[in-house]
Amino acid sequence: MLNAAGRAEAERLADRLARTPLTAIHSSPRRRTRETAEIVAARHGLEVLLVDALDEVDFGAWSGRSFASLHGDPDWDRWNAERATAPTPGGETMAAATARAAAHVASLEATGGTVLCVSHCDVIRGVAAHFLGLSLDRLLAFDCAPGSLTTLALAGSQGRIVTLNEVPQ
């Protein structure tokens, strides 16, 4: 559930996108992303389509744990240093999460319109890295703030980053 700060971020995003002619809004099925997407969708008179490919990384045994509780765990340290190859305990790899989300994003070119995808920080970073041709080990080299906007222009199997981590004011 979005807290007051999260709702304010979503409202600023909705304000930023108010004049953008969105043809669809896709969202991870997680509640916080759905709520964000619904705030934007209300301004455009659109329904939110829930898309499993936009879901956050399945962290397996780490799911529900705080970053503080993982501090000092050698597997967590490796995950943060080696995202391209390090597994999560019983979950999915960053490569698998990126592949499913990037495939969905790439498929949207066929719609011919502007589609808003609401997802999660690591997944957004993974998709951006994919289209920039960066190793997933470089994910922590750029920020992805809550409620920020990263914009891609798609052409065939190629994508170009138009904005990265634009935080609406």
Side-chain angles (χ1 to χ4, degrees):
M1 180 171 183
L2 289 178
N3 60 20
R7 280 189 300 281
E9 290 161 355
E11 290 291 345
R12 286 192 296 275
L13 180 62
D15 289 345
R16 164 62 180 81
L17 295 170
R19 288 188 164 80
T20 301
L22 299 176
T23 55
I25 298 177
H26 295 185
S27 175
S28 157
R30 304 285 171 160
R31 184 174 179 177
R32 64 190 181 274
T33 49
R34 285 193 336 259
E35 289 177 8
T36 298
E38 288 165 358
I39 289 170
V40 177
R43 304 267 184 106
H44 290 270
L46 294 170
E47 295 293 320
V48 174
L49 177 66
L50 301 182
V51 178
D52 289 338
L54 298 174
D55 201 357
E56 68 185 346
V57 177
D58 177 355
F59 285 101
W62 291 336
S63 294
R65 291 186 55 193
S66 70
F67 293 145
S69 74
L70 293 168
H71 181 74
D73 178 329
D75 291 332
W76 176 251
D77 293 342
R78 180 170 176 235
W79 162 261
N80 285 300
E82 302 171 19
R83 293 283 175 100
T85 57
T88 59
E92 85 185 309
T93 64
M94 191 67 230
T98 296
R100 65 174 157 77
H104 177 73
V105 169
S107 76
L108 298 176
E109 183 190 12
T111 68
T114 301
V115 178
L116 174 67
C117 293
V118 182
S119 191
H120 306 272
C121 179
D122 279 342
V123 173
I124 295 166
R125 283 177 171 159
V127 169
H130 169 82
F131 285 105
L132 287 170
L134 296 175
S135 165
L136 295 176
D137 288 343
R138 300 290 298 143
L139 284 191
L140 300 181
F142 52 92
D143 291 331
C144 183
S148 67
L149 186 64
T150 293
T151 308
L152 297 170
L154 300 173
S157 63
Q158 301 296 309
R160 180 176 56 85
I161 303 289
V162 177
T163 66
L164 182 65
N165 192 41
E166 176 190 344
V167 180
Q169 301 300 316

